[in-house]
Amino acid sequence: MVTKTEETELNRLEIQVDNGGGGAWEYLCLVRKLKVRRSDKVLKHGLSILNDPKKRSNLGPEEWTLYEQVAVAAMDCQCLDVAKDYIKVLQKRFPESKRVGRLEGMLLESKGSWAEAEKAYSSLLEENPFDQVVLKRRVAMAKAQGNMSGAIEWLNKYLETFMADHDAWRELAEIYVSLQMYKQAAYCYEELILSQPTLPLYHLAYAEVLYTLGGLENLQTAKKYYASTIDLTGGKNTRALFGICLCTSAIGQLTKGRNKEEKESPELHSLAATALEKIYKQRAPTKLPLLNSALKGLKI
Amino acid sequence: MGGELKYEIAQNAYIKLVLHALKHKTAAVNAVLLGRLVTSTEGSHTLQISDAVPLFHSQITLLPPLEIALIQIEEYYGAQDMGIVGYFHANERFDDAELSSVAKNIGDHIYRYFPQAAVILLDNKKLESLPKGKDRSPVMQLYTKDASKNWRLAGSDGSSQLTIKEPSANVVLLDYIASEKWQDIIDFDDHLDDISKDWLNPELFK
């Protein structure tokens, strides 16, 4: 996961390198560290370093890491010749390497040779059944072929062993959401909140899934998690502020005509609405009238 | 209503939709279509799609952001005598040409308020081969509700296909693709992450 500061720095570097201001190696290292997917830029700038013998020798032993990074980027951009060449270079330098073996599997994947890729991964797993990267490639392959139930099965199996892998839980949650399996997605976010209770992203995602599920109890819980998101983000998260207003409105609709004790207090809603107005006035004043009429419509 | 209902999309709307999909190549994306139903003096009817608002590129099936977006979009375009007339969807995978249940659900919702609603799916293969030919037809597939209330692919039962209002739209599109114009497009997701980003994309075609 990338913070806003990290993203700003990455974009700044990217623009700098794109405009010929240097810093390609710093950029590539940052991409690697943050694990973001910017394959077209990685390919472009990685190639410029690797194709220049002087720049390449300046890297020293890091040269091989760059070959690996650019090979993967090349596969993502469907430049399979580049990928094949670089994998060959790595094979020569590191014969019998499992790490290179994974790249060979990925190359088969990018060609669409699913069966051969599966064979390659199976043999890697025979030697090391706990190779996390290969286990995840299996999930990725299922997803790439549109086999969502297979992807879910493999991913659940993976999480039985590696239950602390937050990225995997997030991936599973997102797959469930894309298939509109919201109850299962909610379970994943509950796991994530349990293990990292101070990360607002999980509170927000959980609230959104609960709202989508609907029903009075889910809406009330969603409201709580929108509130905790606001708490954890110092009131700056627009989605959570909107979420409070949506929840209050939806709960109000469902509890119409019920006893006064069951009705929600409107304070949180008006606080959120005020906060939204303030933010929009500051940063999107042209949209303020639209915001106001939207909020008016959501008033209980 | 007499005669065949025609479906026409304006160049700016068309280009916005494709650029949005190109900006987020590894995700499913969606958009709403704005426009109105127009009756000509001869009595023919055309659904004119004049504009589009790109919506989301992550977790697109969640309701809260969708509801917020629709409220604001309806408000803005209602003042210009336009309504939500359809929905656009682009699948995550290149070789997935099916209309997903998400798209059908949202289409159903729009259909409830606007019975001539159109659902449009990006045609990945057609988009890929666009630079190679001189095709003037849109790189999209149109779905409309048939008599049994199912979403049916246009043209398969003789119903009319989607046309682009401006005949040279694909030429303009290819130009924008070459200049990587997709980087400038803002969707509602971007707006919610940073509200200073305008989902109306007012500067896009200037």
Side-chain angles (χ1 to χ4, degrees), chain A residues 177 182 211 239 280 287, chain B residues 61 67 189 191 193-194 198:
Chain A
V177 166
Y182 301 118
Y211 182 93
R239 291 171 195 261
Y280 267 77
K287 293 278 180 299
Chain B
T61 72
E67 290 185 13
D189 248 340
H191 173 76
D193 287 339
D194 175 359
D198 193 344

Side-chain angles (χ1 to χ4, degrees), chain B residues 51 79 99 126 129 145-146 148 173 191 194:
Chain B
D51 204 353
L99 191 64
K126 234 176 158 186
S129 46
K145 281 259 191 192
D146 64 14
S148 34
L173 175 63
H191 173 76
D194 175 359

Side-chain angles (χ1 to χ4, degrees), chain A residues 4 37 40-41 76 143-146 148 173-174 177-180 182 189 205 207-209 211-212 226 238-239 242-243 246 279-280 283-284 286-287 290-291 293-294 298, chain B residues 25-26 56 58-65 67-68 71-73 75-77 92-93 95 101-102 105 180 182-183 188-200:
Chain A
K4 204 150 190 146
R37 189 176 183 176
D40 46 354
K41 302 283 181 195
D76 207 11
K143 211 176 161 193
Q145 294 174 78
M148 297 315 265
E174 287 184 11
V177 166
S178 73
L179 296 171
Q180 301 184 280
Y182 301 118
Y189 286 123
E208 312 244 89
V209 170
Y211 182 93
T212 310
Y226 277 127
T238 319
R239 291 171 195 261
F242 272 125
L246 283 172
I279 296 178
Y280 267 77
R283 310 193 62 225
T286 54
K287 293 278 180 299
L290 279 180
L291 172 75
S293 44
L298 288 173
Chain B
K25 291 190 183 85
T26 58
F56 307 110
S58 66
Q59 309 223 74
I60 62 177
T61 72
L62 292 178
L63 282 183
E67 290 185 13
I68 296 288
I71 292 174
Q72 294 197 35
I73 292 171
E75 181 75 31
Y76 178 82
Y77 284 97
E92 186 179 12
R93 288 181 305 113
D95 42 12
S101 57
V102 177
N105 286 346
E180 301 198 349
W182 66 73
Q183 307 208 26
F188 218 87
D189 248 340
D190 298 326
H191 173 76
L192 287 174
D193 287 339
D194 175 359
I195 57 166
S196 64
K197 296 205 173 130
D198 193 344
W199 45 265
L200 284 169

